[in-house]
Amino acid sequence: MERLGVTETFAGVSLPGHLHTQESLAFAATFTFRPTDVVIATYPKSGTTWMQEILTLLFSHGDALPAKTIPNWERAPWLEQIYCRAALPDAAPRRLLTTHLPARVLAPALRQGKAKVIYVARNPKDVAVSFYHFHHLAKFLPDPGSFDTFLTQFLEGTVHYGSWFDHIKGWLGQQQLLDIFYVTYEELHQDLCGTAQRLAAFLGCPLGPETLGALEQHCSFAAMRDNTMANYTLIPSEIMDHSQGRFMRKGVVGDWRDHFSPQQNSTFNRRYQEEMGDVELPTRWPMA
Ligand code: A3P
């Protein structure tokens, strides 16, 4: 398939050439946002797909039809990917967009357009594990090598999509500048309904008990794992080798404990402290 081995570099970050070109990246960086736009911003493997599903159900007032009939990449197009320009519903009253780009690239345009942003973060140890497994099925990402090799690159920020530390610090730094809502993967796990209510309040979107019930049902891991419009099984096997694993892999908190050696854990903790020691986070992840 096209450009599977190509890497694009943009704003110092490596990105898969299968999904991005310099033109598509420039399109994202200069995008004209509207105050009615809602943008999901994440580092990969942080709960992006989950948030796309939650917002789909929220905006449809609990009607599961869009979630069951339209692929998530059409419901919430990826701003920086090649297909976005053609996929964007220009006349839509409310556009839902998704991005993995760093804040320093998008923040000026978001500020200008007064769009709303939802930033989803996840314990970076679980992000690293999930991202490692994802490299095995995604043919547009490089061979990750051993978990140890991958983890070193993750901590150095040389993996595709760049440094997790830079990503979260960049978006956290926008708190006073953007209309932004921070949420963690772990909060979604702990209290999906409560988090959906807070999201609804942020978005000014009514949320009755029936919508909440439908959201709870359709956004569960089991429902999403079996929903072809959310689980990426529609992507051909030349691009995602489904024999190598599932996009909807485990969906749990703390899977890193089954992957990290004591040595890897202490290296990670040291680096985490160096990078995040002074940073105010919406939640503290259990790192021990
Ligand atoms: P795991 O690989 O740990 O299972 P993203 O959408 O940002 O790429 O994140 C993918 C991760 O979110 C995967 O993690 C996936 O299983 C998890 N995920 C997606 N939907 C979920 C849900 N409804 N509940 C729990 N985890 C979910």
Side-chain angles (χ1 to χ4, degrees):
M1 224 27 206
E2 273 174 74
R3 291 165 50 87
L4 278 176
V6 177
T7 296
E8 291 290 349
T9 305
F10 188 76
V13 174
S14 302
L15 295 158
H18 172 65
L19 302 169
H20 309 86
T21 59
Q22 291 299 319
E23 197 274 330
S24 76
L25 291 158
F27 171 79
T30 56
F31 189 71
T32 306
F33 289 101
R34 302 174 190 158
T36 46
D37 288 339
V38 177
V39 182
I40 303 169
T42 57
Y43 188 85
K45 316 320 288 178
S46 301
T48 326
T49 313
W50 200 358
M51 186 53 70
Q52 288 174 330
E53 208 75 355
I54 292 167
L55 295 184
T56 300
L57 267 292
L58 207 57
F59 292 157
S60 71
H61 306 294
D63 179 359
L65 198 66
K68 284 185 162 172
T69 54
I70 310 168
N72 50 8
W73 60 84
E74 274 180 40
R75 288 184 254 134
W78 292 85
L79 184 60
E80 61 271 27
Q81 294 188 7
I82 298 165
Y83 77 105
C84 186
R85 194 195 286 268
L88 258 190
D90 201 50
R94 168 155 41 196
R95 299 181 300 185
L96 180 58
L97 294 150
T98 312
T99 186
H100 283 327
L101 287 176
R104 64 179 185 280
V105 172
L106 283 192
L110 285 166
R111 209 155 38 233
Q112 173 94 24
K114 300 188 168 56
K116 286 192 187 296
V117 180
I118 294 162
Y119 187 77
V120 190
R122 184 182 189 183
N123 184 330
K125 292 183 180 176
D126 283 337
V127 169
V129 169
S130 179
F131 206 14
Y132 173 69
H133 286 289
F134 186 57
H135 275 66
H136 289 115
L137 67 146
K139 295 287 147 202
F140 48 83
L141 291 172
D143 178 348
S146 68
F147 181 62
D148 200 57
T149 305
F150 181 78
L151 200 57
T152 303
Q153 290 170 356
F154 181 86
L155 290 176
E156 286 168 350
T158 53
V159 289
H160 275 42
Y161 297 93
S163 157
W164 179 88
F165 301 108
D166 289 352
H167 200 276
I168 189 162
K169 286 193 279 189
W171 283 103
L172 286 174
Q174 297 298 319
Q175 188 153 18
Q176 309 301 332
L177 303 167
L178 295 179
D179 194 6
I180 186 163
F181 182 92
Y182 297 103
V183 61
T184 62
Y185 177 90
E186 292 76 12
E187 283 173 288
L188 294 174
H189 248 279
Q190 205 177 9
D191 183 10
L192 182 61
C193 288
T195 314
Q197 278 164 331
R198 290 196 295 122
L199 271 169
F202 170 72
L203 296 168
C205 184
L207 174 59
E210 279 175 23
T211 302
L212 206 52
L215 190 147
E216 221 182 346
Q217 187 189 335
H218 293 287
C219 300
S220 71
F221 181 78
M224 285 180 60
R225 187 194 49 208
D226 296 339
N227 179 3
T228 52
M229 298 297 151
N231 65 17
Y232 284 100
T233 51
L234 292 178
I235 302 291
S237 55
E238 308 90 80
I239 299 167
M240 275 194 200
D241 185 349
H242 303 289
S243 71
Q244 295 300 308
R246 288 174 160 199
F247 180 90
M248 299 292 296
R249 193 182 61 92
K250 277 196 181 172
V252 298
V253 171
D255 193 33
W256 65 268
R257 293 176 202 279
D258 289 337
H259 285 76
F260 279 49
S261 68
Q263 171 72 44
Q264 287 165 344
N265 197 30
S266 63
T267 306
F268 199 108
N269 286 346
R270 208 175 321 117
R271 184 94 184 96
Y272 185 85
Q273 186 55 32
E274 279 165 20
E275 291 273 0
M276 305 297 289
D278 302 335
V279 178
E280 283 233 7
L281 287 166
T283 1
R284 288 260 151 215
W285 289 290
M287 302 302 278

